[in-house]
Amino acid sequence: MKFNRWLHSERSITITTVVGCPNMCPYCPQDIVKSVYLSRGGSPSLDLNDYYGYLQKIPTGVKVIFGGFGEPWCHPKCTEMVLAAHSAGHKIDVYTSLVGMKIEDVYILKAIPFESSFTVHLPDDNGQTKIRLDQNYLEVLRAIGAAGIRHLHFDLRQDGPAPVSLPPAVAQAIGSLPVGISRCHTWGGLVGDVTPKILKSWLPLRGCPRFYRNVLLPNGDVALCCWDMGMQHIIGNLKDSDYESLFQSNEFKRIKSGFCRRDPDILCSRCDSPMRQILGLSIPPAYRPVVRFLYERVRKLKVF
């Protein structure tokens, strides 16, 4: 089966500056991340010299995202890394809880034209997203909100049916700026239960954008995507090879073949992302609400 090239038109690599996140939110499998990564060897923190070596191998047409399998600003040189990627000509996006960020970082970051998203994950009053509300955090949060950062998004995670809301101190810090709510997922079954709908689907599988939106770990390993927090699919290592060779590796070819065959041994068979891409992101924006409405109606009929 041929893949839909439109789905694979944009490539990105997400930089994991540190493996592990101090927030330890219950919906995020950080214990598994740390355990699996440390068993593979390598420092949990990205060496700055290694980073510059990786950056030289990443084509400038590939977007560089800071996020990955840990909080990026837990690395003291994260802002320097962002500046280096921007200076090298890469488009930049960020996903952060702001933990570890300082006021001086905000003043530097506001000059960078982020390409599509500077997303800030916010704490909630239900304890689902656990961020310590100390003075430094609230000062940085206020500064971020006032800095005029391009494509700034505030995000609350909803884990389960219970509604979530902002703690009063956080609501006061961001003022009238809008906040989105996104639902948690299972990270391919690592957290909670998952129904492998992709295996039951009658829809043709043409690929997933995340095949080319990979995650770089401090030791140079490259995981398939941000859903692969168990590091089931390591498609190569940027210390040992160049960027394009990642997509010629035996592991990457196995994933693509398994995806089309709906192989239960690949992560994609336990992931809701491919289904969502087919029914949402792979459809022009103007039609997405209608398709989502129809999808929910079909789900109630238990067609798949």
Side-chain angles (χ1 to χ4, degrees), residues 186-199:
T186 67
W187 308 102
L190 290 180
V191 177
D193 189 20
V194 60
T195 301
K197 293 176 184 175
I198 193 169
L199 295 178

Side-chain angles (χ1 to χ4, degrees), residues 10 16 23 50 71 80 91 125 138 141 178 201 250 285 300:
E10 181 184 78
T16 302
N23 298 325
D50 287 343
E71 165 51 51
E80 180 179 337
K91 296 176 181 178
D125 57 3
L138 293 173
L141 182 59
S201 173
N250 290 335
K300 291 179 180 178

